[in-house]
Amino acid sequence: MMERERMMYWIRKISIFVCFFAFTADVMAQGNWEDSVKIYTEKARWGELVGYEKLAGYYHDGLGVKPSFVNMLMMYFQANEKGGLPMEEYMCRYDVDDPDRLLFDAMRDLDRGRRDDALLKQEKLRMMELPSSITLQAVMVTNHDRGRYEQLLRDALKKGCVLGRLLYAMFVEKHGSQEEYEKLIKGLIEDTPMAYNLLGKLYWDQAEDTGDKALLESAKVCFEKADERAFLTKQNAKRLLRYYENGEGKGETKGDPMGLKRLRIVACMDTEAGQ
């Protein structure tokens, strides 16, 4: 009995040590991933292709960030604009039954008129109980049943699908009120900083129509917030440049030369960094 008790004692000691080590290693790894996200975010902010590609992978795998199809796709889109691979080639890095690839491929099938292929992928997503299957179902009825399209997007939104929320916001922009659209976009910001681009453009367009400087300032703040996370689009980088350059010319804004250079790279007006 003494021998058995001694053995059980050491088994418990070893188990506690292993569990502690595993927990510590996991925390350290997560910390390292968060550091990597910061490093590659800064690279992407300078238009470096590797920055966008790495961040896309992190958003796909949920390393240092929340996993997000929309954020992943945005990073691959940015990479493509900076001379990277076509979107299809980036997505081919993932298994054919990977949920993100299934959704991407299904939407590409629909774009190319391959509805039956898209239906098979939508069924796979449904079997995985993923809300993206509802969003995909909505996309399938876009052109011939507006009421059904809206209802399905509402359902996807309730289930927490960010892509569904984004498409529903765009639907409201076209068919609803500007106030509701603004509210929906603000609700998206927490999940995807890409929404800062949409909100900034909304304010920018309103400022151009009304000459309201407060709206112009709001647009500038939104673009800067998108930029902080490397989500600033090429078009909005050009708008932000215009804001700084016009403001500086009037003595209202002091543009940082390096900051302006970086924005020109993001806007694809300067290729020094890029690839």
Side-chain angles (χ1 to χ4, degrees):
M1 285 295 293
M2 290 294 292
E3 188 62 32
R4 179 181 174 79
E5 288 176 3
R6 189 178 298 112
M7 181 179 71
M8 292 305 295
Y9 169 80
W10 282 109
I11 287 174
R12 284 194 296 271
K13 290 281 283 185
I14 292 169
S15 298
I16 292 170
F17 173 76
V18 169
C19 290
F20 174 77
F21 178 79
F23 172 77
T24 305
D26 184 61
V27 171
M28 289 175 65
Q30 183 65 16
N32 289 339
W33 286 122
E34 289 172 357
D35 289 342
S36 293
V37 169
K38 291 176 183 176
I39 290 168
Y40 286 109
T41 295
E42 193 58 28
K43 286 181 179 294
R45 292 184 71 233
W46 276 92
E48 292 188 33
L49 186 57
V50 66
Y52 293 119
E53 291 177 336
K54 285 285 189 180
L55 289 173
Y58 293 162
Y59 280 116
H60 175 269
D61 297 327
L63 299 174
V65 289
K66 245 178 108 175
S68 169
F69 173 79
V70 172
N71 291 345
M72 175 202 69
L73 217 58
M74 184 67 180
M75 286 299 154
Y76 279 139
F77 174 77
Q78 299 273 69
N80 173 258
E81 285 207 322
K82 298 300 183 298
L85 300 173
M87 297 288 288
E88 293 85 354
E89 290 188 34
Y90 280 127
M91 293 308 298
C92 281
R93 295 177 173 184
Y94 305 114
D95 184 81
V96 290
D97 285 330
D98 176 272
D100 285 348
R101 181 169 173 186
L102 279 171
L103 181 56
F104 177 85
D105 286 349
M107 295 185 79
R108 188 176 57 159
D109 287 339
L110 288 172
D111 190 50
R112 297 179 178 181
R114 299 198 296 250
R115 183 178 175 81
D116 290 343
D117 291 339
L119 278 169
L120 289 173
K121 295 177 178 70
Q122 191 263 338
E123 178 60 16
K124 285 185 177 182
L125 290 169
R126 190 188 69 79
M127 292 295 289
M128 295 176 190
E129 299 183 346
L130 295 173
S132 54
S133 67
I134 304 172
T135 301
L136 187 54
Q137 192 179 353
V139 175
M140 290 179 182
V141 302
T142 306
N143 297 324
H144 58 272
D145 192 339
R146 195 174 93 182
R148 179 69 174 149
Y149 176 69
E150 180 181 5
Q151 185 55 55
L152 285 167
L153 288 181
R154 283 180 178 272
D155 293 344
L157 187 154
K158 289 175 184 175
K159 294 284 186 179
C161 181
V162 176
L163 179 61
R165 291 170 64 192
L166 180 60
L167 292 178
Y168 182 68
M170 292 178 174
F171 175 84
V172 169
E173 180 188 24
K174 187 175 181 181
H175 302 288
S177 69
Q178 202 168 68
E179 291 77 13
E180 187 183 0
Y181 171 68
E182 181 180 357
K183 183 179 177 181
L184 287 165
I185 293 301
K186 285 180 176 178
L188 274 165
I189 285 169
E190 185 177 348
D191 290 314
T192 172
M194 185 274 285
Y196 278 117
N197 287 290
L198 302 176
L199 191 60
K201 184 180 182 302
L202 175 66
Y203 295 147
W204 183 276
D205 290 343
Q206 290 175 345
E208 286 197 326
D209 289 340
T210 64
D212 189 327
K213 287 190 175 183
L215 283 170
L216 190 63
E217 183 66 23
S218 294
K220 171 241 185 190
V221 169
C222 287
F223 295 151
E224 287 178 335
K225 286 185 178 294
D227 178 45
E228 286 172 10
R229 300 279 294 278
F231 279 86
L232 186 66
T233 64
K234 178 170 68 175
Q235 291 79 6
N236 287 336
K238 289 179 180 178
R239 290 185 175 102
L240 193 51
L241 272 170
R242 201 184 319 159
Y243 171 90
Y244 284 131
E245 289 169 350
N246 289 347
E248 188 175 2
K250 296 175 184 178
E252 298 173 0
T253 304
K254 293 294 181 184
D256 168 35
M258 288 302 291
L260 293 176
K261 179 177 178 61
R262 186 181 59 73
L263 283 175
R264 282 193 287 272
I265 291 170
V266 175
C268 299
M269 297 165 68
D270 187 331
T271 58
E272 183 175 311
Q275 301 178 48

